Amino acid sequence: MGLKVFLSYGHDKNTELVLRLKRDLEAAGHAPWIDTSEIRSGDDWRRKILDGLKDTDWTLAFLSRHAVRENGVCLDEIALAMGMRHGALATILVEPEAEVRPPVSVGHIQWLDMSDWAARDDAWYRDRLDAILHKLADPETHRFLGEIEELEQRLKPVIQAADIPPLIDGFVGREWVVERVETWRKTEPQHRVFWLTGGPGAGKSAFAAWMTHFLRSNVVGLNLCKWNDEDRHDPRRVLRTLAFMIATRLPDYRRRLLDKLRAQDADGSELARKGAAAMFNWLLAEPLLLIDGGRRHDRMVLVIDALDETLRDGVSELADLLAEQAQKLPAWMAVVVTSRPEFPIAASFSNVAPLRLDAEGSAANVDDLRVYARGWLATPERSAAAAAALVERVVAAADRNFMYLRKLREAVAEFGLDLSAPGWLPQGLTGLYRLWFRRQFPDAAAYRTESAPLIEILVAAGRPVPVALLRSMFAWDVPTEARLLQGLGSLFEERADGVAPCHASLRDWLTDRRQSGAEFVVDAARGSRRLADTLWARFLALPEGEVPDAFAQAELPTQFGRQGAEALRHYIADAGAWSPLAIRMAAIVEARKAAFAWSAVLAWGGLIDLLGTLAGDDALPWRGWALAELGDAHGTLGQTSPQLDCYRAGMAISARLAAADPGNAAWQRDLSVSHERLGDVLSAQGDLPGALADYRAGMAIRARLAAADPGNAAWQRDLSISHNQLGDVHSAQGDLPGALADYRAGMAIRARLAAADPGNAAWQRDLSVS
């Protein structure tokens, strides 16, 4: 079967060879895709390349001096092919190796040498063509493609290859960082984590992307975290992405992972229900440890960029996970992380002893800024002295910040600014943002009445806001929508999923009066309230049985969490009776739980509890239910401390309900179940006396229920379970006589149930377990 083959080459003297191979590939039944025949003048070449790569099976990269020149299109094509097609790439050397510097990203791939093709005869060419056709027909090639496709379906990774070329566009310097990383990677195995820190715009993401592109022979996984993209910061999604990327690079790991997924997770449910810690072990630690490294002195690396953008309420689940689990990776695997020097990230890594490097604190960083500025500003129109003076002015104003230089360059192009004019050069990133906003929004009154309300929504949201929602909120007609969204300028991104600030630092600047001043500061709290109002009204207006869209499901609990008690009471009043409202919210919890979306379970379960605290005693049963669901979700995610907090809060509600209506058997049983849950967690933590106390309290309730209604088989079975739990604890404590007594008591109850209903398979099974 023929393959769709992407041909990446430089438009140079080797084009004749490329076109000949294209014709011969077509004659052999393959479908080559080549840019000269598909990309017309004026088209967005990167979008066309992306479209071409999405629809191809394999890439042939023709390496020449022109093709691999710095900032050449072919380097971007190769990077996109490596990222999007996951290693389905072969290289052909079309000029002498001594004259071509192949990108390090394909340095681990053996190329086919056709460097002297112009001087060779037809028989020589046919031999090389046969080698290419053999590669495309090789069962190993097709097996690789099939395995990668299967893994992509099973793991559902978040592919980020398209983010890399823009980040490394114009990347300069950083040799001192590379040298330090390489020294750590090769000679300092005691440090499992390398932590690169720096302020917003310091170039950390560009360095992470550069590492992945140019050191790909050792970088086997990358995640570029984004504060407004849950897929990029949810630990479980990140682990799936990293596992997929490692599998594309390490065949031995790929085979073990596929065998494990096929044998133990045929329908995908096992992986879906796992929490982050369990998933780390299942996907990464266990299969990697079974591989004979042979790489201990040339370690492989996982790169996690912008950990600070995963912070939520001062906590980064991803940072905590990496800090707790990194030591479980084999010795030949290490982790590079980048972030702002935020205290919560430092606290997460306090027990890991990472090797830390400040991206801004070195004089070499200033030299890198000079290199970038010189490449931009040293033009033929400027004398060497004028260019040198301007470079120093711009570097001084940048305050060690790479993003400043990039955005200043964009501002010069967008607004036609004259850098040589004295007195106006903005100082630092905050000064640049102020300059940009003054140019973009010259009418202060229009900014306050039209643009600021829109920006308040964008900075309040935790993710891109869909354009359709904005259109509805502001009642825009088509011209107004186009004018306001275009008027935001390039500091805001309009993506497929919505509109958002281009960087977390812009959001911080806009909401901090000390930085943006009264001129441009926006009220994020007001934006949050407006978002909450809109999403709540839309939720209440949904037909019965329907659930909110993905944005509302993710955002509404977040915005409600920022509102005060008075506003929340107003929302409850809008909904009418509590019980129907609780049923609708509980339906979302159940749906998200069925999808193993634990973060959504936590969000909506927490919302039921939050609103229930203000709804009065009528909400107590629903709060108890929600707290149990929250505890279960925290337990699945391996978060035992909040799990215990939820179970204890739920038990307090169960005790209150049971005390208020002692004759209500359902409340009594709920209280016994609360004790059982606590006992299970305490037992798992090794707190056997605490577990014993809770199990005994639960059994006392169940004994009373069973005695009051001896014909109720459910009460009898509950009591037998309590005996088994007590037996487990006694056994763990070494009290074998006590354990035996409880096991026998439980078995006696099960024997009576089985005898009374011999056709009940469940009773018979329980008896066999006893």
Side-chain angles (χ1 to χ4, degrees):
M1 182 178 67
L3 298 179
K4 296 178 180 178
V5 185
F6 182 94
L7 304 181
S8 172
Y9 74 106
H11 295 253
D12 55 19
K13 63 183 181 181
N14 302 291
T15 299
E16 177 186 344
L17 173 65
V18 177
L19 294 177
R20 183 180 183 184
L21 283 168
K22 175 180 182 290
R23 292 191 296 270
D24 288 333
L25 289 173
E26 289 172 334
H30 298 290
W33 192 99
I34 191 168
D35 61 359
T36 55
S37 62
E38 300 292 344
I39 300 180
R40 297 180 298 277
S41 176
D43 283 340
D44 179 343
W45 72 266
R46 183 172 278 120
R47 178 174 59 81
K48 290 289 187 181
I49 293 296
L50 286 169
D51 291 342
L53 283 167
K54 286 178 183 176
D55 197 34
T56 54
D57 300 309
W58 202 266
T59 296
L60 287 179
F62 296 84
L63 306 181
S64 66
R65 285 169 295 180
H66 183 74
V68 302
R69 71 194 186 282
E70 187 174 357
N71 298 325
V73 170
C74 289
L75 288 181
D76 281 345
E77 291 179 352
I78 290 171
L80 290 170
M82 292 295 289
M84 292 186 64
R85 303 316 305 155
H86 321 304
L89 179 143
T91 54
I92 300 175
L93 192 68
V94 294
E95 290 179 2
E97 180 181 352
E99 300 176 13
V100 178
R101 183 187 175 193
V104 184
S105 58
V106 294
H108 62 293
I109 299 175
Q110 181 65 45
W111 58 64
L112 176 67
D113 191 347
M114 298 183 72
S115 58
D116 54 351
W117 66 270
R120 293 288 190 163
D121 58 17
D122 188 66
W124 176 91
Y125 169 80
R126 288 293 167 186
D127 284 343
R128 299 309 190 267
L129 174 63
D130 286 344
I132 295 171
L133 294 176
H134 176 76
K135 177 67 175 178
L136 296 178
D138 189 344
E140 283 295 320
T141 296
H142 289 263
R143 183 165 70 177
F144 171 82
L145 294 173
E147 289 177 346
I148 293 303
E149 183 178 358
E150 181 180 351
L151 280 171
E152 191 164 15
Q153 292 174 352
R154 288 179 175 275
L155 295 176
K156 298 178 176 60
V158 182
I159 305 302
Q160 302 164 42
D163 288 34
I164 293 177
L167 284 171
I168 63 175
D169 184 26
F171 186 90
V172 297
R174 288 298 193 261
E175 288 87 355
W176 56 284
V177 183
V178 174
E179 181 180 352
R180 189 65 190 94
V181 169
E182 286 293 87
T183 299
W184 158 78
R185 188 176 65 80
K186 295 177 180 178
T187 67
E188 301 178 58
Q190 71 275 20
H191 295 296
R192 304 300 296 276
V193 176
F194 187 101
W195 182 19
L196 181 67
T197 67
K204 304 181 296 298
S205 296
F207 178 74
W210 187 92
M211 273 191 68
T212 304
H213 185 31
F214 288 98
L215 300 181
R216 190 173 172 82
S217 55
N218 287 93
V219 175
V220 294
L222 168 72
N223 190 79
L224 300 164
C225 302
K226 283 192 173 183
W227 67 273
N228 56 8
D229 188 340
E230 187 173 2
D231 287 342
R232 301 282 191 94
H233 63 70
D234 177 76
R236 297 165 74 247
R237 293 304 306 274
V238 172
L239 291 175
R240 286 172 175 268
T241 297
L242 293 177
F244 177 78
M245 295 184 74
I246 298 170
T248 66
R249 291 297 313 283
L250 305 182
D252 42 4
Y253 169 76
R254 180 170 68 251
R255 285 191 291 270
R256 289 188 179 277
L257 182 60
L258 269 173
D259 288 345
K260 188 171 188 177
L261 288 167
R262 291 164 177 167
Q264 302 178 35
D265 194 25
D267 63 355
S269 61
E270 177 65 24
L271 187 58
R273 69 169 58 97
K274 288 186 181 297
M279 187 179 286
F280 188 99
N281 288 326
W282 207 82
L283 280 183
L284 298 184
E286 292 170 4
L288 285 169
L289 284 169
L290 295 173
I291 295 173
D292 177 16
R295 311 171 175 100
R296 188 176 298 267
H297 302 297
D298 192 25
R299 290 189 290 179
M300 300 291 178
V301 175
L302 301 175
V303 179
I304 315 293
D305 174 60
L307 267 181
D308 53 288
E309 299 206 18
T310 69
L311 287 168
R312 295 295 182 272
D313 298 322
V315 176
S316 167
E317 291 184 26
L318 183 57
D320 288 345
L321 177 75
L322 293 171
E324 293 168 2
Q325 305 295 328
Q327 299 297 331
K328 296 181 180 179
L329 294 171
W332 51 268
M333 181 75 76
V335 180
V336 171
V337 299
T338 78
S339 78
R340 300 188 203 183
E342 304 280 4
F343 172 76
I345 305 296
S348 294
F349 288 131
S350 59
N351 295 325
V352 182
L355 186 62
R356 181 171 175 176
L357 181 66
D358 182 2
E360 298 174 294
S362 168
N365 176 65
V366 179
D367 291 338
D368 291 343
L369 293 170
R370 288 193 179 96
V371 171
Y372 180 91
R374 196 175 297 121
W376 164 33
L377 299 170
T379 63
E381 294 78 22
R382 291 191 180 97
S383 67
L390 186 55
V391 164
E392 291 306 312
R393 281 184 62 216
V394 169
V395 168
D399 193 23
R400 300 177 177 266
N401 193 284
F402 259 100
M403 181 182 283
Y404 174 93
L405 293 182
R406 288 176 178 268
K407 289 299 178 183
L408 179 63
R409 190 171 187 173
E410 290 178 20
V412 169
E414 187 161 338
F415 302 122
L417 302 175
D418 181 7
L419 284 174
S420 61
W424 73 268
L425 195 63
Q427 299 298 302
L429 198 56
T430 59
L432 182 57
Y433 284 154
R434 186 174 294 108
L435 166 71
W436 202 297
F437 264 65
R438 284 175 177 167
R439 295 275 178 164
Q440 197 71 33
F441 305 103
D443 186 335
Y447 174 79
R448 279 291 154 210
T449 58
E450 290 191 322
S451 299
L454 168 60
I455 293 172
E456 285 174 349
I457 300 295
L458 301 181
V459 300
R463 52 198 43 75
V465 184
V467 173
L469 178 62
L470 294 171
R471 184 185 308 126
S472 173
M473 291 179 69
F474 293 103
W476 288 334
D477 56 22
V478 174
T480 302
E481 176 184 320
R483 176 173 58 82
L484 289 176
L485 292 181
Q486 292 173 9
L488 291 175
S490 59
L491 287 182
F492 291 83
E493 300 174 340
E494 185 174 350
R495 308 187 327 216
D497 54 347
V499 185
C502 69
H503 196 267
S505 63
L506 176 59
R507 177 192 56 179
D508 295 342
W509 179 80
L510 282 163
T511 56
D512 186 346
R513 178 178 51 80
R514 294 167 298 180
Q515 295 185 54
S516 56
E519 191 176 4
F520 297 113
V521 69
V522 296
D523 188 346
R526 185 164 54 198
S528 177
R529 178 63 184 272
R530 187 164 186 177
L531 254 184
D533 288 348
T534 300
L535 295 176
W536 187 243
R538 290 162 71 97
F539 171 60
L540 296 180
L542 285 173
E544 185 175 351
E546 286 194 20
V547 297
D549 60 33
F551 176 82
Q553 281 193 39
E555 200 69 32
L556 198 150
T558 299
Q559 300 305 329
F560 265 38
R562 297 173 181 171
Q563 310 307 314
E566 182 179 348
L568 293 177
R569 288 191 182 95
H570 174 74
Y571 294 131
I572 296 170
D574 284 346
W578 167 259
S579 185
L581 172 62
I583 290 172
R584 297 183 67 177
M585 293 189 290
I588 297 175
V589 174
E590 293 288 2
R592 295 295 81 204
K593 185 169 68 170
F596 310 111
W598 303 115
S599 60
V601 170
L602 292 175
W604 282 86
L607 184 57
I608 294 173
D609 183 46
L610 174 65
L611 296 181
T613 58
L614 303 171
D617 288 350
D618 288 347
L620 284 175
W622 282 107
R623 286 188 61 209
W625 176 85
L627 286 164
E629 294 293 330
L630 290 170
D632 291 347
H634 282 302
T636 300
L637 295 172
Q639 301 163 352
T640 54
S641 180
Q643 180 187 24
L644 275 175
D645 291 341
C646 289
Y647 284 160
R648 283 174 174 148
M651 187 172 70
I653 290 174
S654 295
R656 182 176 169 185
L657 291 169
D661 188 1
N664 187 319
W667 294 156
Q668 302 296 325
R669 184 181 184 278
D670 284 351
L671 180 56
S672 74
V673 172
S674 292
H675 281 293
E676 180 183 25
R677 288 192 178 101
L678 281 170
D680 289 345
V681 179
L682 294 172
S683 178
Q685 290 183 327
D687 182 3
L688 298 182
L692 197 62
D694 270 301
Y695 285 149
R696 281 175 173 161
M699 187 171 72
I701 297 170
R702 293 175 174 183
R704 290 196 299 271
L705 291 172
D709 187 2
N712 189 318
W715 297 160
Q716 301 295 328
R717 185 176 186 275
D718 283 350
L719 182 57
S720 74
I721 291 172
S722 289
H723 278 295
N724 276 17
Q725 290 166 335
L726 284 170
D728 289 343
V729 176
H730 286 308
S731 177
Q733 289 179 323
D735 179 8
L736 299 184
L740 194 59
D742 270 305
Y743 288 149
R744 283 174 172 162
M747 186 171 69
I749 295 171
R750 295 178 178 191
R752 290 196 297 272
L753 291 171
D757 187 2
N760 189 316
W763 297 156
Q764 302 297 327
R765 180 187 177 281
D766 285 350
L767 180 58
S768 71
V769 172
S770 294

